[in-house]
Structure formats: C-alpha cells, structure tokens
Amino acid sequence: LDNRRQCLQQEVPMNYRHMLMSAMLTLLMVNVGCSKSEANSTDQAAAHSAVNHEAAPGATTAPAAKKDCTADDSCPAFTLAWSEYPSWPVFQVAHERGFLNGEEGKYGSLEKQYQVDVVLKSMGYEASMIAYGSGAVDATCITNIDSLGKSLTVKSVAIMPTSTSDGGDALVVSNDIKTIEDLKGISVYGLKGTVSSYAFWKKIDKAGLNRADFKFVNMEPPAAALLMQQKQKGVKAVMVWNPYINQTLKIRPDTHVLFSSTSLKREIIDMVVASQKSLDRPGGDRFAKCIIAAFYAVCKKLDDPSKRSQVLIDIGKRFSSLNVPEMEKVLKLTVFYKDADVAVKLFTDKTWHKTMNGVVDFWVNNKNIPHRPSVGYGSKTEAPKAQFRIDPSYMQAVQNESVH
C-alpha cells in the first residue's frame, strides 16, 4: 500500500485534506518518475535499468520516425499519470518491455515510431486527479465517473477505455453484517465523490432503502482497508477497489463482500483521459496514439498463453505484489478492453451512450458535482463544445495503422 495509508478513525476535514494533498502533489512531482498508489523509487530505478526492448506487435505498421528522437527536439514530451488499479500498471509494463521508456528524454520503440516522448508518473489516485486538474500532467488514468468533475474546469477527452469494473469495486464487511439492512447505523468508509460513493449509493437506491439510515465516511481506500485489516474498533465496512478488496479478504478471513459493481454493468469504465489543450499541442495526437498502441502491445502479450503468466507477474508486482493466481482472479473482476476492436465498439455503442448519460444524471442529481458538464461522443469536429468528450478516433487511427 502507498504512503497515503493513515490510521484514521474519522473523516479528515476537507480543508486539511486539500492542504495535505497539495503538499503530497508537490513531493510527487519532484520524486516520482514513472496505481489508484505510488511506486517505490528504488523499484522505479530498477525497472528503468532493466528495460527489455522487445519489438512492438505490429511495429512495422506504425508510422516510421522521420528523425531519431535522441538527435534533436523532434519528439515533444507529454506526461501520463497512472495509479494502482488492474489495467493501469500496464503502462509501466510497457516501459519495462521497451514499448515505452517512462523517463523523460529516453525512448521506447513505440515512442520512436510515433515521434513522441511519453513520461510516466506513478502516484496515488486522488493525487493523480489533482495533478490532472492542475495541468501538472497531460493525461491521467481515471474512471468515467471521476472525469465528470474534472471536465468542469479542464476540457477533457477520453481517448480509450482500459477496463470495466465487474466486481472490481466492492463493499467488504465483517461477517456479522449479512444484509444491506444490517448496515443501518454502521459507518461505511470509502472515498467520497468518487466511484466508491457512486457504487455504494447506487446500490442503496436500487434496494429502495432510505439514505438517511446509512453513513458513508470519507477515507481513502488504502487507509480504510488498512484499518479494516487491523480490526480497528468501529471499522466494520469499507467500500474500496482492488487490490484493497483482495488484500482485506486475504488478511481477514472473517470478512466477505456484501455487494459489488457486478450489478452496475458498463457503468464504471476505467479510462485514459487527456486534456483537450494537451491534445491540441504539436504531437498531441501522436501522444494519444502511442499510449493506446502501448496498452494493446502489452495486452497482446497477455493474450499469448506462452507469455501470459510472466505478464501477469509483471502487472502484479506493480499491483501490490499479487501472484499469478491472484491476478487471474482480479482480471475476472476487472475486464480489460484488450484491443481497439472491443474498445471502439464500446465508445461508439449508442446503448452505452444512454448508460453513460444515466451515470451523469445520477452523479449530478446527487450533487457530487456543482452542475452538469456537457458530454459529447465522437471527434473534436463532431462534438466541438463538449466539456467531456468520449472520442474513439485515436483508437481507430491505431486500428487502421495495424491493418495497412
């Protein structure tokens, strides 16, 4: 777990939280090189020194570099923040496999082909959202739900989905809590204003229960999970995501999942979201295509039976050191959009657009954000005024390149 873990027994005042997170962000920008947690700096250095420069799948079909990126400034730098969640350490694995090199001024095979410098920054989930909102990074790994608030101040573009939560967000409770009604009067700890509170209150509403009977206490997932694992007095229910779900169940055999995101089909989508300002910079489109291609390159390795176990190990070591069987279990709860075909299908699906619009309605009606952002689907030309645009065109470009 990252250094955001705190043995807190009550909600931290928001003004203090904001000051704390600002201080954390400053430190992260100085110290972090390359998930929802931070990577150990020693591990980062080791990973960088052990880069394995494999040939990217479909490498001959990607756009050939006109110049050597190391020779001049022909490759502009863009930053991508990622945090500890099943599909997001894939970008670190892309670095370790040589498709990317997350250090500024160094280049993986796909960076050379797309003529762009992708700088990877690993940080806690909330810190990554703050970094994106402040403009400290060009793009971040974030859910569709959490993107809505950010898009009110930063015009944002979802350039790809990485996965969908099908049980990857869950309420873990002590065994004496057997029904939702048993939660009445019990503090449920989780991160307010994020996908955790979305999943919790959506379940309460679907059950037809009175919200006034339930209490959701603000606490970051690593801290909440730690207190649950330590059997802290008064902590009997935590609404968290993986790896904190599996860790808690493993450490505390007297706990179980009361409910999860399995009932919220295609409502929680994990994404890479970039600011429109960054995409408009010279090389912005190449940056988007490069990280998309890198994600699919690793997923292709994951789909190869002869290489799957090693890729799972590589993802797992950046995902709270889970082993292969544990990672296999995780991937059943967090389903990857492993190639452009399935990802483009989601982004262009009119039925999913209705689902997404319903997600926005729920989020706004429950006053999680001050007002509704304008949400659009398609390219910048097709939805020029959208504050949050879901755009398949970058994936389609990568898709087209792979077949020529």
Side-chain angles (χ1 to χ4, degrees):
L1 296 175
D2 64 23
N3 64 5
R4 291 188 297 142
R5 276 182 171 172
Q6 304 172 56
C7 293
L8 304 175
Q9 299 187 42
Q10 59 186 8
E11 179 176 353
V12 182
M14 287 305 294
N15 59 346
Y16 177 78
R17 285 172 57 77
H18 289 161
M19 289 188 290
L20 179 61
M21 290 310 302
S22 296
M24 287 177 61
L25 176 59
T26 301
L27 291 173
L28 285 163
M29 293 297 99
V30 173
N31 294 309
V32 177
C34 200
S35 235
K36 295 170 180 171
S37 86
E38 279 175 72
N40 179 294
S41 59
T42 302
D43 289 344
Q44 293 283 10
H48 289 160
S49 65
V51 172
N52 174 20
H53 290 279
E54 299 184 28
T60 57
T61 63
K66 297 178 181 178
K67 301 178 181 178
D68 183 349
C69 287
T70 60
D72 53 29
D73 295 326
S74 61
C75 293
F78 294 83
T79 52
L80 170 66
W82 65 273
S83 56
E84 191 175 84
Y85 190 71
S87 61
W88 297 338
V90 165
F91 295 106
Q92 175 63 20
V93 175
H95 159 85
E96 293 168 356
R97 294 298 179 103
F99 302 131
L100 303 176
N101 188 309
E103 293 185 15
E104 186 168 4
K106 297 183 180 180
Y107 308 92
S109 58
L110 287 171
E111 290 170 285
K112 291 178 181 179
Q113 291 165 349
Y114 282 98
Q115 288 196 275
V116 68
D117 186 2
V118 177
V119 181
L120 297 176
K121 294 187 178 293
S122 169
M123 57 184 70
Y125 187 55
E126 189 171 11
S128 72
M129 291 191 290
I130 293 172
Y132 177 72
S134 70
V137 298
D138 296 292
T140 191
C141 296
I142 188 171
T143 69
N144 57 329
I145 295 165
D146 298 328
S147 299
L148 298 174
K150 293 303 173 187
S151 68
L152 293 175
T153 55
V154 179
K155 200 170 185 179
S156 299
V157 183
I159 62 171
M160 71 178 301
T162 58
S163 56
T164 184
S165 179
D166 191 12
D169 297 86
L171 179 66
V172 180
V173 299
S174 55
N175 280 347
D176 60 313
I177 299 174
K178 301 184 185 304
T179 68
I180 297 177
E181 285 80 2
D182 291 340
L183 288 171
K184 291 179 179 179
I186 301 292
S187 292
V188 175
Y189 293 88
L191 191 57
K192 281 186 176 180
T194 70
V195 63
S196 291
S197 55
Y198 177 92
F200 178 77
W201 292 118
K202 197 73 182 286
K203 185 65 176 182
I204 297 301
D205 289 353
K206 282 188 174 184
L209 299 172
N210 185 352
R211 287 191 177 200
D213 293 331
F214 301 89
K215 186 178 182 181
F216 194 96
V217 180
N218 194 40
M219 188 177 289
E220 295 179 10
L226 179 61
L227 295 186
M228 186 76 168
Q229 292 160 16
Q230 294 178 336
K231 298 187 177 183
Q232 184 74 30
K233 185 178 179 180
V235 181
K236 302 179 71 175
V238 294
M239 188 76 207
V240 294
W241 50 71
N242 263 321
Y244 311 115
I245 299 168
N246 284 12
Q247 287 175 343
T248 303
L249 294 173
K250 184 177 180 179
I251 294 171
R252 287 277 309 271
D254 59 335
T255 62
H256 68 281
V257 171
L258 186 63
F259 60 77
S260 72
S261 55
T262 53
S263 61
L264 303 173
K265 299 296 184 185
R266 300 203 308 173
E267 291 186 40
I268 301 174
I269 306 295
D270 314 305
M271 300 175 157
V272 175
V273 172
S275 71
Q276 184 64 67
K277 181 179 179 181
S278 294
L279 291 173
D280 287 342
R281 283 173 49 201
D285 61 329
R286 302 197 306 274
F287 165 62
K289 290 189 289 184
C290 184
I291 59 178
I292 290 167
F295 185 84
Y296 297 150
V298 174
C299 286
K300 187 171 183 179
K301 300 288 185 185
L302 189 61
D303 266 359
D304 183 340
S306 67
K307 298 176 181 177
R308 183 175 180 84
S309 291
Q310 185 58 53
V311 176
L312 286 173
I313 290 170
D314 292 342
I315 295 174
K317 70 184 179 184
R318 293 293 175 180
F319 188 62
S320 294
S321 301
L322 298 183
N323 59 32
V324 171
E326 289 169 332
M327 281 302 300
E328 291 285 10
K329 184 182 295 186
V330 164
L331 294 194
K332 290 180 180 178
L333 305 177
T334 305
V335 181
F336 281 27
Y337 291 101
K338 60 184 180 179
D339 58 41
D341 291 342
V342 294
V344 169
K345 185 176 180 180
L346 176 76
F347 270 20
T348 57
D349 184 353
K350 300 295 184 184
T351 300
W352 180 70
H353 293 175
K354 292 180 181 178
T355 298
M356 180 63 196
N357 291 339
V359 168
V360 179
D361 291 340
F362 182 87
W363 208 231
V364 175
N365 293 341
N366 284 278
K367 304 186 186 309
N368 288 287
I369 51 179
H371 58 87
R372 184 187 185 95
S374 56
V375 177
Y377 304 91
S379 67
K380 184 179 179 181
T381 301
E382 293 168 321
K385 296 182 179 180
Q387 291 172 290
F388 181 49
R389 184 161 53 80
I390 295 168
D391 185 354
S393 66
Y394 299 100
M395 294 184 294
Q396 289 167 329
V398 171
Q399 194 176 34
N400 291 337
E401 289 164 0
S402 69
V403 297
H404 286 97

